[in-house]
Amino acid sequence: MVTFIGALVLLVVGYFTYGKFIERMFGVKEERSTPAFTHQDGVDYLPMNEKKNSLIQLLNIAGVGPIFGPIMGALYGPVAFIWIVVGCIFAGAVHDYLTGMISIRNRGAHLPELAGKFLGKAMKHVVNAFAILLLVLVGTVFVTSPADLLFNLMDGWMGISLIVGFIFAYYILATLLPIDKIIGRFYPIFGALLIISAVGVGVSLVVTGAPIPELTLSNMHPDNLPIFPLLFLTISCGALSGFHATQTPIISRTTQNEKQGRRIFYGMMIAEGMIAMIWAAAAMSLFQGPVGLNELLANGGPAAVVSEASILSLGAIGGTLAILGVIVLPITSGDTAFRSARMIIADYLNIGQAKLSSRLWIALPLFVISFALTKIDFNLLWRYFSWANQSTAVIALWVAAVYLFIAGKHYFVAMIPAVFMTMATTTYILNAQIGFRLPLETSYYIAAVVTAVIIGLFYKRAIRAKKDNIPLEEDISGRPAA
């Protein structure tokens, strides 16, 4: 278990070292009032304490991605551990921290507005449509996956359609009501289930001496699918996820002080990486290797792996609690996915959200579309979600790189992962069955050219933005202090 335990230790060390470096490089302004105070409206903008914000952030970002993704990524073998650790510390946590802090500096703005400001006005419209598409896909995936888990847990005595209906009913309430009414009250309970689930399975793996494979760079996938780019899109939320860029502005609007940002944004991504490590290790060790895991995935999907791994690790009672913890994750991300979509549309159309009716007419069409998408095959939805998710992360990283370039700071911390993932996502969509279906080698060459062009466009935009002296933050002089 040297690789497994060492990887968990590296994630913690990364928070206290690289996380601290990123915080100092960005430059926290403790005296600067945050949007929670300057724009307080009692619905989306209101101050909440650091502990509550951290827990909500973790539950917002940790859907089934850090569980289902690593389970499917485990088919590649221990090489998946490398992406979880390196991706989480140097890409995912940096992405979350910079997105959250830049949003705080710009009155809690969502990614489309930030893209319009730092990448050009045309990008606002593109990213707005892209973000809403991603959020509706996320919300749909996070309806079907917990519904399947609950259906299996209850041994089919309640129909899947009824379960889906109950989840949608909760999502509607969580999307429309003020953030402190449902999300702020119920998340501590959900958080306890999450901790029981992840810690229980992780401790069981160590105590029972589960045969977790040690590090190797070889590709163990039974179907011999290529590591690049597929691994980097399969394991998304546990290493790097654009979905997080849609979630951090929710908490940037409730954060009391910029100093809390490292724990809330960087730290909670590290916690998600640890969850991903535990489930990847469980998938690698409990089913007689990649072949056995592949058969279980083919027969029952990731939900079947979660159920089987939980029962094997913790027994009937403990396993049931663990499954409930896994069910909590997508539900607590699905609700905020729809909430984010509502907020993005409201910001785009400049519609105040103080009135319930204003929230209602924006949110209901989103639920109608999502319900229709639940009829589509989950595996197909997951592929589109994975590509849209990582493409959104690419956009967020380029936004952060431009911001840091203008500020005269170390923009390479965002640019390097942006370049890597630009190459990965472009290669994927060129080669994938859901994309252009080009040969893999051809896809590599075209993706390299596209990536080089985007790097050139980045420097052109960043240099011009710095020359035009685009403001890095909103002027809050005269606003109420924290």
Side-chain angles (χ1 to χ4, degrees):
M1 290 193 181
V2 173
T3 300
F4 173 62
I5 295 175
L8 293 176
V9 170
L10 282 174
L11 286 169
V12 175
V13 170
Y15 171 75
F16 288 104
T17 54
Y18 198 66
K20 189 67 176 177
F21 164 75
I22 294 296
E23 180 185 51
R24 288 178 177 173
M25 180 275 300
F26 183 81
V28 168
K29 299 179 180 179
E30 293 186 63
E31 72 286 351
R32 190 178 191 275
S33 192
T34 63
F37 297 99
T38 60
H39 293 75
Q40 188 168 353
D41 64 0
V43 178
D44 297 319
Y45 292 90
L46 69 165
M48 294 195 295
N49 63 53
E50 183 181 23
K51 182 182 291 186
K52 182 174 287 188
N53 276 329
S54 297
L55 183 58
I56 293 174
Q57 173 71 2
L58 176 60
L59 290 170
N60 283 358
I61 65 176
V64 287
I67 298 175
F68 282 18
I71 284 173
M72 293 186 286
L75 291 170
Y76 293 91
V79 68
F81 291 153
I82 299 176
W83 171 232
I84 292 173
V85 174
V86 175
C88 192
I89 294 173
F90 297 103
V94 173
H95 166 282
D96 289 13
Y97 179 80
L98 292 177
T99 304
M101 295 303 292
I102 295 170
S103 177
I104 286 176
R105 294 276 175 90
N106 289 272
R107 63 167 181 75
H110 277 275
L111 181 59
E113 188 171 346
L114 295 177
K117 180 175 182 178
F118 295 106
L119 299 183
K121 292 181 179 179
M123 285 299 295
K124 178 179 180 179
H125 308 297
V126 173
V127 178
N128 194 77
F130 208 82
I132 293 170
L133 170 65
L134 171 63
L135 288 166
V136 172
L137 285 173
V138 167
T140 306
V141 168
F142 292 172
V143 168
T144 56
S145 50
D148 288 341
L149 286 167
L150 282 168
F151 182 78
N152 293 337
L153 187 63
M154 295 186 288
D155 203 22
W157 67 264
M158 181 181 289
I160 191 75
S161 297
L162 189 59
I163 297 173
V164 168
F166 279 125
I167 294 174
F168 266 121
Y170 166 75
Y171 283 178
I172 290 171
L173 290 174
T175 300
L176 296 176
L177 295 178
I179 193 169
D180 60 336
K181 299 303 180 185
I182 288 185
I183 293 174
R185 290 182 180 179
F186 288 101
Y187 271 33
I189 300 171
F190 293 156
L193 285 172
L194 165 62
I195 292 169
I196 290 172
S197 170
V199 173
V201 172
V203 170
S204 174
L205 291 174
V206 175
V207 171
T208 60
I212 302 172
E214 297 297 351
L215 184 61
T216 172
L217 298 180
S218 60
N219 185 356
M220 298 183 179
H221 201 290
D223 299 326
N224 200 33
L225 297 178
I227 290 176
F228 187 90
L230 295 182
L231 176 63
F232 305 98
L233 280 91
T234 302
I235 301 179
S236 53
C237 297
L240 169 67
S241 171
F243 171 62
H244 299 185
T246 68
Q247 299 302 290
T248 49
I250 294 177
I251 304 305
S252 74
R253 298 182 181 196
T254 61
T255 301
Q256 295 175 321
N257 192 287
E258 286 192 6
K259 188 65 177 177
Q260 300 170 352
R262 183 162 67 100
R263 177 180 174 183
I264 294 171
F265 302 121
Y266 197 101
M268 293 306 101
M269 181 60 210
I270 294 294
E272 184 179 16
M274 299 179 78
I275 294 170
M277 278 296 306
I278 289 170
W279 283 102
M284 288 181 202
S285 62
L286 297 177
F287 305 106
Q288 291 77 51
V291 175
L293 174 60
N294 199 32
E295 290 177 357
L296 186 55
L297 282 169
N299 292 326
V305 177
V306 168
S307 299
E308 191 73 17
S310 299
I311 299 299
L312 285 173
S313 299
L314 302 172
I317 297 176
T320 299
L321 288 174
I323 294 169
L324 287 173
V326 174
I327 290 169
V328 157
L329 285 174
I331 289 177
T332 54
S333 292
D335 55 8
T336 51
F338 287 113
R339 189 180 188 90
S340 292
R342 170 182 65 78
M343 292 162 68
I344 288 173
I345 294 171
D347 288 351
Y348 185 72
L349 300 177
N350 196 25
I351 299 172
Q353 296 293 279
K355 293 182 179 180
L356 178 61
S357 58
S358 298
R359 288 171 255 156
L360 193 63
W361 77 261
I362 293 176
L364 286 183
L366 297 173
F367 287 111
V368 172
I369 294 170
S370 179
F371 180 76
L373 289 175
T374 60
K375 308 303 179 182
I376 296 177
D377 177 59
F378 175 82
N379 290 323
L380 183 62
L381 274 176
W382 185 268
R383 293 189 196 105
Y384 279 110
F385 157 70
S386 296
W387 179 76
N389 187 39
Q390 296 301 66
S391 297
T392 303
V394 168
I395 294 169
L397 285 167
W398 283 119
V399 168
V402 172
Y403 178 97
L404 294 175
F405 186 96
I406 297 171
K409 300 181 183 295
H410 300 302
Y411 63 90
F412 62 84
V413 301
M415 182 182 178
I416 291 175
V419 169
F420 180 80
M421 289 308 300
T422 298
M423 180 72 184
T425 54
T426 306
T427 302
Y428 176 80
I429 202 62
L430 290 171
N431 173 250
Q433 290 298 305
I434 65 168
F436 294 94
R437 304 184 183 185
L438 297 177
L440 185 59
E441 187 173 354
T442 303
S443 300
Y444 287 148
Y445 289 129
I446 297 176
V449 172
V450 171
T451 302
V453 170
I454 290 175
I455 292 172
L457 291 174
F458 157 74
Y459 278 110
K460 180 180 179 181
R461 173 60 188 173
I463 292 170
R464 180 177 177 181
K466 188 168 186 176
K467 182 180 179 181
D468 292 344
N469 199 26
I470 291 179
L472 295 173
E473 57 189 62
E474 183 194 32
D475 181 11
I476 60 169
S477 58
R479 297 278 188 176

